Amino acid sequence: MTIRTRFAPSPTGYLHVGGARTALFSWLYARKHGGRFVLRIEDTDLERSTAESVQAILDGMSWLGLDYDEGPFYQTQRFDRYKEIIQQLMEQGDAYYCYCSKDELEEMREKQRANKEKPRYDGRCRHLTEPKPGIEPVIRFKNPTSGSVVVKDMIRGNVEFKNAELDDLIIARPDGTPTYNLTVVVDDMDMQMTHVIRGDDHLNNSPRQINIFNALGAEPPKFAHVPMILGDDGARLSKRHGAVGVMSYRDQGYLPEALLNYLVRLGWSHGDQEVFSIQEMIEFFDIEDVNRAASSFNTEKLLWLNQQYIKNSSASHIAKHLAWHMEQRAVDLSAGPTLEQIAVLYQERAKTLVEMADSSMFFYTKVSSYDEKAAKKNLNQTSLPLLQDMKTRLSQIIDWLAEPIHTEIKACAEVHEVGMGKVAQPIRVAITGNTVSPSLDVTLELMGRERTLEAIELAIDWILNQD
């Protein structure tokens, strides 16, 4: 049997981290077992589904590297098939027209609540033989009234539901459009899904869906209901916890592998290991090892992981993702070092790619102003002769490399009988506008002779023009 899993989001917003983790678990399970991973867009909610949300899902999957073997399939393109199945259930006697109005249903529920009963549809239209004129009916699935349904969950074990507690759910609206619980069964049946991995908010849907599978004579897939993700405060992760859309993590400078690594550890572990390559995730992951308890999202832990990935990734890989951030800043990359060189320079320092991009802007644009405190301390009459000497020394270097640059900084400090920092910091402020940069000799090598000397000259002029 070929393992077949799917990720089936509704396009009513961005791809959030909970959905991304579900997609990751489904993807890993398929990859581990040499199976097929399918992307399905559940867009039957015509009022809320948007093309922008579909694109956001596709962009999120692409950025994360969760490639799918089949799809994307769109439910809105399968309405004829759903109507065919609804008609089949009607002809089998497993579905019926319901003519109850909203007021009638609300009155029913109020009486049930007054009697301290669970509000549910009481099946009053089950045995109608004549239509009610002037009313567009819904179609309900005729759920079994006795016995029970056991959901054999790969994470939670067996979960039993009594059929008497399940009401007859609506499978088609008055306009004939199908509802979620019908379409998901038809799709999983037609697409021959063997394993359905999804959020535990769907657990209560599973017994209803299993009963529809049974009515259609189809084998239900195996289920695994993943526990929810909580915010730092223990409440369910939501917008108020900050960035919960996958692409917002790209915008904040996270590498996709870091986010995947963090998400796989939300509810799953392999010994004490924290950092996993994609190949290790595939090798070690098993859905049955996922914890049934909810997991808390810890942004600090994600930031730490991102820093590890930046430190240990290849310069070319970092450059590939850094390029997007530079594009957002409209940087002319021809005006400075390659992004691979920037990656090497900042790998040990940057926690995010945003930090890397912002810190390296001085390589591509001239400094237009100096940080006030940095200038007051480092660009003054005391540093003026040091800068003038360094300008001369640097202009005479034959091979513009870090080592001879370092030698000249050291020689200048010795001649003027000051520490190397007294020479280096004014130069650093001159080229960056502040007091922070990677190793100055390497920084100047990448900056180039012409731009370095130009920046020092501007700093000298600035000092001379101060009152």
Side-chain angles (χ1 to χ4, degrees):
M1 178 185 70
T2 300
I3 299 293
R4 292 177 62 82
T5 68
R6 45 75 161 182
F7 177 51
S10 298
T12 55
Y14 45 67
L15 175 60
H16 58 82
V17 292
R21 184 186 62 165
T22 299
L24 173 61
F25 284 1
S26 299
W27 184 86
L28 288 173
Y29 196 77
R31 294 290 173 262
K32 180 183 182 72
H33 296 283
R36 307 279 288 175
F37 175 63
V38 178
L39 177 61
R40 188 169 78 218
I41 306 297
E42 299 192 337
D43 56 347
T44 55
D45 188 339
L46 300 177
E47 290 184 4
R48 297 178 63 216
S49 298
T50 66
E52 291 77 14
S53 293
V54 171
Q55 193 58 51
I57 291 167
L58 298 178
D59 289 345
M61 296 289 283
S62 175
W63 181 70
L64 288 170
L66 298 179
D67 56 319
Y68 34 93
D69 303 300
E70 299 173 27
F73 298 110
Y74 297 87
Q75 288 188 330
T76 47
Q77 297 174 3
R78 289 173 48 79
F79 275 1
D80 288 346
R81 174 59 174 157
Y82 303 138
K83 289 178 181 177
E84 181 184 311
I85 292 295
I86 291 167
Q87 186 60 36
Q88 178 184 334
L89 290 171
M90 290 287 287
E91 291 173 358
Q92 291 175 190
D94 289 314
Y96 61 93
Y97 289 115
C98 172
Y99 296 87
C100 295
S101 65
K102 288 183 178 179
D103 290 342
E104 192 176 349
L105 292 172
E106 186 53 39
E107 183 183 346
M108 177 197 310
R109 295 186 186 106
E110 283 182 8
K111 286 182 180 178
Q112 290 168 336
R113 280 191 283 264
N115 295 328
K116 296 184 178 179
E117 298 172 359
K118 179 182 176 182
R120 56 195 294 276
Y121 180 68
D122 62 8
R124 61 182 62 183
C125 290
R126 262 186 173 227
H127 306 295
L128 285 181
T129 55
E130 296 295 328
K132 289 186 179 181
I135 298 177
E136 290 291 331
V138 299
I139 298 178
R140 291 183 181 271
F141 174 69
K142 192 179 287 185
N143 197 79
T145 55
S146 61
S148 61
V149 182
V150 177
V151 179
K152 297 175 181 178
D153 195 279
M154 298 174 73
I155 295 173
R156 300 169 179 275
N158 290 350
V159 185
E160 185 174 359
F161 296 84
K162 294 190 182 304
N163 277 319
E165 295 293 315
L166 306 174
D167 58 2
D168 294 347
L169 58 87
I170 295 171
I171 59 174
R173 302 178 183 90
D175 63 0
T177 57
T179 60
Y180 166 77
N181 278 298
L182 185 281
T183 58
V184 72
V185 169
V186 177
D187 289 345
D188 286 341
M189 177 179 70
D190 287 354
M191 298 176 190
Q192 299 178 310
M193 291 300 139
T194 61
H195 295 75
V196 169
I197 299 169
R198 58 189 180 184
D200 63 0
D201 52 331
H202 288 286
L203 180 59
N204 288 333
N205 288 325
S206 295
R208 306 168 187 272
Q209 292 169 9
I210 288 173
N211 281 333
I212 298 176
F213 273 109
N214 292 338
L216 294 172
E219 180 74 22
K222 293 182 179 179
F223 292 98
H225 289 93
V226 179
M228 70 175 70
I229 300 175
L230 307 177
D232 295 337
D233 57 358
R236 185 165 192 153
L237 191 67
S238 64
K239 289 181 182 178
R240 66 186 178 83
H241 291 103
V244 291
V246 162
M247 298 309 280
S248 66
Y249 289 97
R250 176 203 61 179
D251 299 349
Q252 292 178 66
Y254 289 90
L255 286 169
E257 299 81 14
L259 184 57
L260 288 175
N261 193 149
Y262 184 73
L263 291 177
V264 81
R265 288 284 287 108
L266 282 178
W268 174 82
S269 62
H270 180 73
D272 296 327
Q273 187 170 340
E274 291 287 352
V275 181
F276 294 86
S277 67
I278 298 296
Q279 197 53 47
E280 285 175 324
M281 291 185 209
I282 294 171
E283 181 182 349
F284 299 138
F285 179 80
D286 198 316
I287 194 66
E288 293 179 351
D289 294 335
V290 172
N291 197 311
R292 64 178 66 182
S295 302
S296 294
F297 197 94
N298 185 322
T299 305
E300 288 184 10
K301 183 68 172 291
L302 172 58
L303 189 59
W304 176 85
L305 261 177
N306 198 55
Q307 189 173 16
Q308 303 309 305
Y309 272 88
I310 289 176
K311 280 183 179 179
N312 297 304
S313 294
S314 68
S316 60
H317 182 74
I318 294 173
K320 170 188 165 187
H321 290 284
L322 181 61
W324 182 86
H325 294 276
M326 292 308 210
E327 287 171 12
Q328 304 311 300
R329 290 158 178 77
V331 172
D332 177 9
L333 295 178
S334 67
T338 67
L339 292 184
E340 284 82 359
Q341 289 173 313
I342 294 295
V344 171
L345 194 61
Y346 283 94
Q347 272 184 295
E348 295 295 325
R349 304 171 63 90
K351 293 181 180 179
T352 69
L353 297 183
V354 165
E355 188 180 319
M356 188 179 289
D358 289 342
S359 298
S360 61
M361 287 298 289
F362 68 88
F363 280 111
Y364 303 96
T365 57
K366 292 181 181 179
V367 173
S368 57
S369 63
Y370 305 114
D371 176 80
E372 188 176 344
K373 287 184 179 179
K376 186 175 181 180
K377 184 177 180 180
N378 297 285
L379 299 183
N380 48 46
Q381 292 300 322
T382 303
S383 63
L384 180 59
L386 301 176
L387 286 169
Q388 290 171 327
D389 189 10
M390 280 306 303
K391 182 190 172 192
T392 301
R393 289 175 178 274
L394 293 174
S395 66
Q396 294 172 351
I397 292 177
I398 297 172
D399 295 322
W400 188 260
L401 298 170
E403 188 174 343
I405 292 171
H406 178 82
T407 300
E408 291 302 333
I409 294 173
K410 185 178 179 182
C412 180
E414 290 174 353
V415 167
H416 293 272
E417 298 182 340
V418 295
M420 285 185 66
K422 294 291 185 181
V423 178
Q425 281 300 76
I427 300 174
R428 186 171 274 118
V429 175
I431 65 169
T432 70
N434 56 58
T435 57
V436 180
S437 80
S439 178
L440 186 60
D441 48 9
V442 179
T443 300
L444 295 185
E445 178 184 335
L446 291 185
M447 176 74 81
R449 183 198 308 270
E450 184 178 332
R451 287 200 55 212
T452 297
L453 295 175
E454 182 183 0
I456 294 175
E457 180 65 37
L458 287 172
I460 291 171
D461 290 344
W462 188 87
I463 296 171
L464 294 172
N465 288 324
Q466 298 305 300
D467 293 333

